[in-house]
Amino acid sequence: MKSMVQQEEQLLSQTNWQELEHRLFLRTFNRSPVTLVRGQGAWVWDDKGKKYLDFVGGWAVDSLGHCPTPIIEALELQSRTLIQASNQFYTVPQIELAQLLVQHSCLDRVFFGNSGTEVNEGAVKLARRYGKIYLNGAFEVITTSSSFHGRTLAMTAATGQDKFQDAYTPLPAGFINVNYNDFTAIKAATTERTCAVLLEPIQGEGGVNLPDDDFLSKVQHWCQEKGILLILDEVQTGMGRTGTLFAYQQYGIEPDIMTLAKGLGSGVPIGALLAKEHASVFVPGDHGSTFGGNPLVCAAAYAVVKFMISNNIPQHVAIVGLNLINQLKQLELEFSFITNVRGRGLLVALEFDTDIAAKVILSCLKRGLLLNRVKPNTIRFMPPLIITEAEIDKAIDILRSALRET
Ligand SMILES: *Cc1c(COP(=O)(O)O)cnc(C)c1O
């Protein structure tokens, strides 16, 4: 007798989903040739029943792994209680989640949106509002090359990468892209029009780029001196990803404004914009969101954050992340075409001397390991934060065989 799941999966395997997708979708994604239908912990299954160890993790989103019990229970209960009520009214889950985030960060107030891009837009609007009130209408935001802040027109202008910008010019004004990790360039770009500096503490999409140890503190002091705001985009680095709840904690700094998304909902779409009291200059009507702070999503995110804190997930990330980096450094000694291993916690990159990332990733995929090609010559590792040492060993074994073949 076949189980229900097996029967369902047999039905799924009778359709050519990938061919259907090619006919139906706008051509925005270059997907890996695999159709995922199920996940559990750090593992996923495709429509043919093949199992993979998932080091992509929903793009650094599935912090507690696939289908974690705390989220299932929170969604189940909240979906029977209240799913959507709008921000015309007070609702409990969003207030509970806000309280948790404020208690565990250096920020004082919260606004909820649905994605990283949306809360980054909110952060820039907040900084512009601040500029109008306190800085004679200053509106420019300094950002850096190889950053990533989202896909709306304004966030495309904020994202300092030509490949995202060139097709959409003219872009909204008010964003100055300077070289990454270059404090002098930030100083030079600061004028009476500047209201904020927007940075990722560690760049994710740009290739897992770590700043010099003193870069962020220099920028924070500069912002204080000039009376402008420091906005940290912790959409990818936040929620335990780098081994502390927020990455800023490792650099001895405090942002005026911070954004979160990816890992916050562990797969349930949510973004949060947080600000210190002095930067909380919105007044009613300035900003809003229909779905932002929705009870269903906030109940799930609350369960995620609560689980992370009570089980000290960031500490687990710091420990297993170090193990991952050490094992990758071992591979670097074994294979001469590996030129660099870098990262913090479970946000890690492996760089090659030529553009072979796609080839290596395809070979790993065939062997049952999912990885992300962050640049033509660079692989990114961003597994669920609950990944075990044994699963990391398994991933390294698969990667080693794939590298031998290359
Ligand atoms: C993914 C990402 C975004 C965009 O988030 P979406 O949820 O895709 O809108 C913004 N900033 C950083 C640092 C990211 O990694």
Side-chain angles (χ1 to χ4, degrees):
M1 264 282 284
K2 284 198 165 154
S3 73
M4 289 267 283
V5 174
Q6 280 172 326
Q7 281 177 27
E8 248 170 63
E9 286 184 355
Q10 200 174 11
L11 273 177
L12 284 172
S13 71
Q14 285 163 14
T15 302
N16 187 340
W17 298 105
Q18 293 174 27
E19 190 270 333
L20 196 55
E21 194 270 2
H22 294 163
R23 274 193 282 137
L24 293 173
F25 280 67
L26 278 123
R27 299 173 192 88
T28 59
F29 298 110
N30 208 353
R31 304 184 203 256
S32 296
V34 51
T35 305
L36 299 179
V37 296
R38 186 159 62 89
Q40 188 60 58
W43 298 84
V44 287
W45 285 259
D46 71 11
D47 58 341
K48 310 282 188 294
K50 182 173 167 172
K51 183 180 171 186
Y52 304 84
L53 187 50
D54 184 8
F55 269 57
V56 177
W59 271 343
V61 166
D62 298 314
S63 41
L64 304 190
H66 293 277
C67 303
T69 310
I71 298 193
I72 294 173
E73 285 173 355
L75 284 173
E76 225 162 50
L77 181 62
Q78 192 60 42
S79 67
R80 290 178 209 280
T81 313
L82 184 67
I83 293 179
Q84 161 80 2
S86 89
N87 284 308
Q88 187 178 328
F89 307 101
Y90 297 88
T91 50
V92 176
Q94 62 169 234
I95 301 170
E96 289 180 327
L97 175 60
Q99 194 173 31
L100 209 51
L101 291 174
V102 165
Q103 272 168 1
H104 291 276
S105 73
C106 67
L107 292 309
D108 302 308
R109 290 180 180 273
V110 181
F111 173 90
F112 290 116
N114 304 284
S115 69
T117 311
E118 186 191 339
V119 290
N120 280 344
E121 287 267 348
V124 168
K125 284 175 76 178
L126 186 61
R128 284 198 178 192
R129 195 82 177 82
Y130 188 90
K132 275 207 203 293
I133 299 169
Y134 295 116
L135 303 168
N136 284 318
F139 64 94
E140 277 179 4
V141 176
I142 299 172
T143 68
T144 65
S145 57
S146 62
S147 62
F148 186 81
H149 300 294
R151 301 289 206 152
T152 55
L153 278 173
M155 287 309 109
T156 299
T159 294
Q161 300 196 50
D162 294 343
K163 69 172 181 186
F164 293 127
Q165 295 186 340
D166 287 349
Y168 302 108
T169 53
L171 292 167
F175 295 93
I176 311 293
N177 306 144
V178 304
N179 277 341
Y180 175 61
N181 198 27
D182 184 346
F183 173 59
T184 314
I186 289 178
K187 267 167 80 170
T190 309
T191 68
E192 72 283 355
R193 292 186 305 277
T194 310
C195 66
V197 177
L198 165 62
L199 298 170
E200 296 157 84
I202 296 169
Q203 292 186 331
E205 301 304 310
V208 188
N209 306 315
L210 288 100
D212 292 341
D213 287 341
D214 61 352
F215 172 67
L216 291 168
S217 72
K218 278 185 186 162
V219 174
Q220 192 201 355
H221 287 123
W222 176 250
C223 288
Q224 275 169 350
E225 192 182 322
K226 291 286 149 185
I228 60 178
L229 299 172
L230 174 60
I231 307 172
L232 285 188
D233 177 347
E234 291 232 25
V235 165
Q236 185 155 161
T237 55
M239 305 321 298
R241 174 61 54 186
T242 66
T244 45
L245 194 57
F246 307 107
Y248 74 78
Q249 295 166 317
Q250 295 177 48
Y251 291 96
I253 60 157
E254 292 193 354
D256 302 296
I257 297 174
M258 173 172 77
T259 54
L260 301 171
K262 293 201 164 86
L264 176 57
S266 190
V268 172
I270 182 169
L273 158 62
L274 293 97
K276 288 205 169 187
E277 191 61 52
H278 73 96
S280 301
V281 294
F282 280 152
V283 296
D286 275 358
H287 194 52
S289 177
T290 298
F291 293 120
N294 164 305
L296 183 72
V297 167
C298 286
Y302 179 82
V304 172
V305 182
K306 197 85 189 159
F307 185 93
M308 270 191 196
I309 291 164
S310 30
N311 293 281
N312 207 347
I313 297 295
Q315 192 185 23
H316 170 78
V317 171
I319 295 166
V320 298
L322 214 52
N323 173 10
L324 173 62
I325 289 177
N326 285 338
Q327 296 210 54
L328 291 173
K329 289 207 160 137
Q330 181 57 40
L331 291 181
E332 190 182 6
L333 298 175
E334 290 170 38
F335 298 94
S336 61
F337 53 90
I338 298 177
T339 50
N340 190 245
V341 174
R342 57 180 178 269
R344 275 275 168 98
L346 289 169
L347 183 56
V348 177
L350 178 76
E351 193 172 298
F352 303 112
D353 60 359
T354 49
D355 293 349
I356 55 167
K359 201 170 145 199
V360 174
I361 283 169
L362 193 61
S363 172
C364 287
L365 184 128
K366 288 182 180 143
R367 297 164 196 268
L369 171 66
L370 302 182
L371 288 168
N372 171 255
R373 189 204 68 137
V374 71
K375 294 207 287 193
N377 69 342
T378 311
I379 292 177
R380 179 171 43 164
F381 303 79
M382 42 184 175
L385 306 183
I386 47 90
I387 196 95
T388 63
E389 303 274 12
E391 286 163 339
I392 288 176
D393 293 348
K394 173 100 189 146
I396 295 287
D397 283 348
I398 295 175
L399 179 59
R400 181 178 275 113
S401 342
L403 290 170
R404 281 203 182 119
E405 187 194 70
T406 303

